[in-house]
Amino acid sequence: MRRLPPLDRRTLFYRIATLAFAAVSATAATVLMVDATIQDGVDIWDILRGVLILITTAWLAWGAAQACLGLAARHRPVPAPDLTEPVPPTVVLVPICNEDPVSTFARIAAMDRSLEAAGLPADIAILSDTRDPLNARAEEQVYRRLIEETQGRGRIFYRRRTDNRGRKAGNIEDFIRKSGGAYELAVILDADSLMEGATIRRMVARMQADTDIGLLQTLPKIVNANSFFGRAMQFAASFHSPIFSRGLARMQGSTGPFWGHNAIIRVRAFAESCALPELNGPPPFGGHILSHDYVEAALLARNGWKVLVDETMGGSYEEGPENILSYARRDRRWCQGNLQHTRLLFAPGLAAWSRFVFVQGIFAYIVSLIWACFLVASVLATIMAPLPDYFPEPYQLFPVFPDDRTKEITALFLGIVGLLIVPKFLILTSVAREGRIDGFGGTLRAALSVATEIILSSFLAPIMLMYQSRAVIQVLLGKDGGWPSNQRGEGKLTLWQGIGAGMWITGTGAIALTVVHYIAPDLTLWLLPVCVPMLLAPILIAITSRPLTHFLFITPEERSVAPVVDLYHRIHARWQSENVPNASASEGLSKHVTA
């Protein structure tokens, strides 16, 4: 049986340092808060809030530690791949399900040309899980147009499953079982992915140079965003994510991440390692594994294959959600999938770090609920403060004295600023020092973009807290969210749509603020940063979906459009002008569609 190479000392040091930073930060925040709320004694509310703030601060500190590590770690030069070796049999896999076929197949046409320009003879397999007959007919029609565009008969294949078992993971597994033996390497994409042929060629060469790599993950940049929300995400992915990903890569070493797309796999390694079980019991905790990518990375590592991330490899792109509702809909599935990992924490043979990654993914969602519990506990602590006079036992553990609310809030505020905001401005300094600031519009525009992104994130944080808390509660109550269709291209929302989607958040905020105002008026001012965005949720949902001037959130990817992205836009525009698909295009299609 294969085994991963021993953990090198540098990676071990990075892991210990980041874990220690998170632990020290969380402990310090807890001590400061408890010290701010007591004078001569501790009560049950202090203990409860101390535990909650310990957990939430540890989570914030963990993210800050990744940023600090990414800033401190030097770029690791990767040896230039040998592009002269014969290319092993390679296939590009594009799983789709109820997507816009014109956009999706135009991307494939652009990538096919880019692969040809890079001298990479690779097949492309479009793996459809579309169930709707009208959508399926449209896919077949546009597939014919794709074949005409690329002259790709015998090289670009399309098949549609009649059995959608396992969703995307099952779709890829089905291909590997039936056709994987013909290929040594496979690039896994999403329907909205775009990759330069030269990038894929370098990935192939990297896999050839190190036969122990089972999976190589790139860091995709978001492109084609138009809305306020979408452009903010696009900017963050281009500006902040490379630093965070560098820190992540240093910590994870050979037990790296898989994000489900824009990655290359060694087919034999995947076939030997990644057959996913169907969890017993009904959804949401049973059934098919939704967040399959983390599990597949863990299974590859269990079988001794390296799983690496290369955040420096350019030419990898994807599209992101254009509004909060699209993001929340996708996030609901991820929440259920990550909470499913509680069933896998003690699976036999997994690397310790893989188990820790599962824990990270679980806490990525339950931390929102913990934050909400902290706020509720803070309100209850104030309301229940007089009760020890009447119920000295067992409620009161130690004598309680009036607390200094200002001191407590100040400590909490400084902790949040230090762990969330300071790392982003440190990244700004690093980008300027490395001479990359011009790609983001220069120092002034980049600084304004960072500040605006922080302000926007602060306003949206309570709204996302509500969506994520609701998602966690739904999963814990046994409600299956399923795998909703992707709403790619869903953009501008009306105010009425915002009201329909966000009034429950507004109502919750209004009730919370009213109750606190009447029973604990001293807390009203401190809850405004949380409750005001909740009150404005419908307006924020609508406004952030609107197109934004390009003065802010400029990225290098839009200042200098990548060839494959530009080619996609030109092909897509031409196909739309040709009214693709057309009703007669499906005649004779069965001759070109492979099983």
Side-chain angles (χ1 to χ4, degrees):
M1 181 177 176
R2 299 176 57 90
R3 291 185 180 275
L4 279 173
L7 190 65
D8 65 90
R9 293 182 179 180
R10 182 175 296 180
T11 301
L12 180 60
F13 170 77
Y14 289 150
R15 291 182 181 180
I16 293 174
T18 49
L19 288 169
F21 178 83
V24 170
S25 299
T27 303
T30 305
V31 170
L32 286 173
M33 194 207 72
V34 172
D35 179 65
T37 55
I38 65 170
Q39 293 183 17
D40 296 326
V42 179
D43 66 11
I44 189 67
W45 297 109
D46 293 322
I47 294 174
L48 177 60
R49 289 194 297 161
V51 171
L52 295 175
I53 202 66
L54 179 72
I55 297 171
T56 51
T57 307
W59 175 254
L60 293 178
W62 177 251
Q66 288 186 42
C68 292
L69 178 55
L71 289 166
R74 296 180 179 179
H75 288 286
R76 286 184 180 175
V78 177
D82 184 0
L83 302 180
T84 62
E85 289 189 28
V87 176
T90 301
V91 62
V92 177
L93 304 180
V94 188
I96 62 174
C97 182
N98 295 317
E99 306 285 350
D100 171 21
V102 176
S103 297
T104 301
F105 288 44
R107 293 186 188 94
I108 294 170
M111 285 188 286
D112 180 69
R113 286 196 192 175
S114 187
L115 286 167
E116 182 180 5
L120 178 59
D123 290 346
I124 299 176
I126 305 162
L127 311 177
S128 175
D129 260 353
T130 298
R131 300 295 297 273
D132 182 83
L134 293 178
N135 288 352
R137 180 178 175 83
E139 287 178 1
E140 293 174 355
Q141 292 169 353
V142 185
Y143 172 69
R144 181 181 178 89
R145 182 67 183 87
L146 172 66
I147 294 299
E148 294 173 354
E149 176 82 25
T150 60
Q151 300 299 308
R153 189 175 305 170
R155 183 167 45 80
I156 302 177
F157 306 101
Y158 168 91
R159 74 101 172 93
R160 185 166 70 92
R161 287 199 302 169
T162 55
D163 179 1
N164 296 94
R165 188 175 306 167
R167 311 297 177 95
K168 178 181 175 181
N171 199 356
I172 293 173
E173 180 180 335
D174 178 77
F175 175 86
I176 289 177
R177 287 184 182 277
K178 294 178 178 178
S179 306
Y183 302 99
E184 184 175 330
L185 302 173
V187 178
I188 298 178
L189 303 179
D190 263 353
D192 62 359
S193 297
L194 274 169
M195 293 192 76
E196 293 283 2
T199 298
I200 297 176
R201 180 67 185 91
R202 291 196 301 273
M203 295 168 70
V204 169
R206 181 93 177 268
M207 299 291 281
Q208 288 178 279
D210 188 347
T211 56
D212 289 330
I213 300 177
L215 185 149
L216 178 63
Q217 175 71 60
T218 67
L219 176 63
K221 302 292 181 63
I222 297 177
V223 294
N224 301 330
N226 292 302
S227 69
F228 191 2
F229 180 81
R231 286 182 58 77
M233 286 193 64
Q234 179 174 278
F235 175 80
S238 186
F239 196 86
H240 301 303
S241 292
I243 301 298
F244 282 91
S245 297
R246 189 193 306 168
L248 180 68
R250 299 302 182 268
M251 274 191 297
Q252 295 200 336
S254 298
T255 317
F258 177 34
W259 297 321
H261 57 91
N262 291 55
I264 188 169
I265 62 170
R266 196 173 303 278
V267 174
R268 179 171 67 88
F270 213 78
E272 291 174 350
S273 309
C274 296
L276 297 179
E278 184 172 344
L279 302 176
N280 56 22
F285 286 99
H288 299 296
I289 297 174
L290 298 185
S291 293
H292 57 89
D293 38 16
Y294 281 21
V295 180
E296 288 158 346
L299 293 176
L300 283 168
R302 183 176 70 172
N303 275 10
W305 294 98
K306 293 180 183 178
V307 180
L308 304 178
V309 58
D310 186 349
E311 79 286 354
T312 66
M313 190 171 289
S316 178
Y317 310 100
E318 64 172 334
E319 294 184 5
E322 286 284 84
N323 58 59
I324 295 172
L325 301 189
S326 294
Y327 183 89
R329 189 181 299 114
R330 183 179 67 174
D331 206 48
R332 171 62 175 84
R333 170 170 58 86
W334 289 348
C335 173
Q336 181 171 327
N338 283 21
L339 294 184
Q340 269 186 324
H341 293 167
T342 56
R343 300 280 305 275
L344 304 172
L345 283 175
F346 302 103
L350 296 182
W353 191 257
S354 297
R355 301 183 200 275
F356 180 73
V357 170
F358 286 165
V359 173
Q360 279 184 264
I362 294 166
F363 268 88
Y365 289 94
I366 66 173
V367 76
S368 292
L369 192 58
I370 295 173
W371 265 115
C373 290
F374 172 77
L375 294 174
V376 172
S378 297
V379 173
L380 292 177
T382 301
I383 297 171
M384 302 291 284
L387 291 184
D389 295 336
Y390 304 98
F391 304 99
E393 296 291 344
Y395 171 81
Q396 187 179 17
L397 302 180
F398 301 98
V400 181
F401 292 87
D403 60 337
D404 184 347
R405 184 68 61 189
T406 302
K407 187 178 179 182
E408 173 191 358
I409 298 297
T410 301
L412 188 61
F413 174 77
L414 291 175
I416 292 175
V417 168
L419 296 176
L420 285 180
I421 298 177
V422 170
K424 293 188 176 183
F425 281 104
L426 291 176
I427 292 174
L428 174 64
T429 303
S430 175
V431 171
R433 187 175 61 249
E434 294 174 3
R436 297 187 292 114
I437 202 72
D438 287 344
F440 298 95
T443 303
L444 178 59
R445 284 192 183 184
L448 287 173
S449 297
V450 170
T452 305
E453 190 268 335
I454 290 172
I455 294 170
L456 177 65
S457 299
S458 300
F459 270 93
L460 297 186
I463 298 173
M464 299 313 302
L465 179 146
M466 292 296 293
Y467 276 118
Q468 290 190 337
S469 296
R470 183 179 69 173
V472 172
I473 292 171
Q474 287 175 340
V475 173
L476 294 179
L477 292 178
K479 184 175 180 180
D480 178 23
W483 193 303
S485 298
N486 291 310
Q487 303 296 317
R488 307 191 201 277
E490 181 183 46
K492 184 177 178 180
L493 301 173
T494 65
L495 180 58
W496 285 112
Q497 289 173 309
I499 290 173
M503 274 305 294
W504 70 277
I505 299 176
T506 298
T508 303
I511 292 171
L513 201 58
T514 301
V515 169
V516 169
H517 177 71
Y518 278 100
I519 63 179
D522 290 345
L523 280 180
T524 304
L525 180 64
W526 306 116
L527 282 182
L528 288 180
V530 175
C531 289
V532 168
M534 292 172 64
L535 296 175
L536 299 176
I539 298 174
L540 289 172
I541 289 171
I543 287 178
T544 55
S545 73
R546 306 298 173 91
L548 177 73
T549 173
H550 284 213
F551 179 79
L552 292 176
F553 300 141
I554 296 170
T555 65
E557 291 74 32
E558 66 181 5
R559 288 176 70 89
S560 178
V561 179
V564 72
V565 177
D566 179 64
L567 186 56
Y568 156 65
H569 286 308
R570 288 191 280 117
I571 294 173
H572 184 253
R574 178 158 45 81
W575 285 8
Q576 283 188 316
S577 69
E578 296 171 1
N579 294 317
V580 175
N582 58 73
S584 62
S586 60
E587 296 182 7
L589 182 68
S590 59
K591 293 185 292 184
H592 309 302
V593 179
T594 64

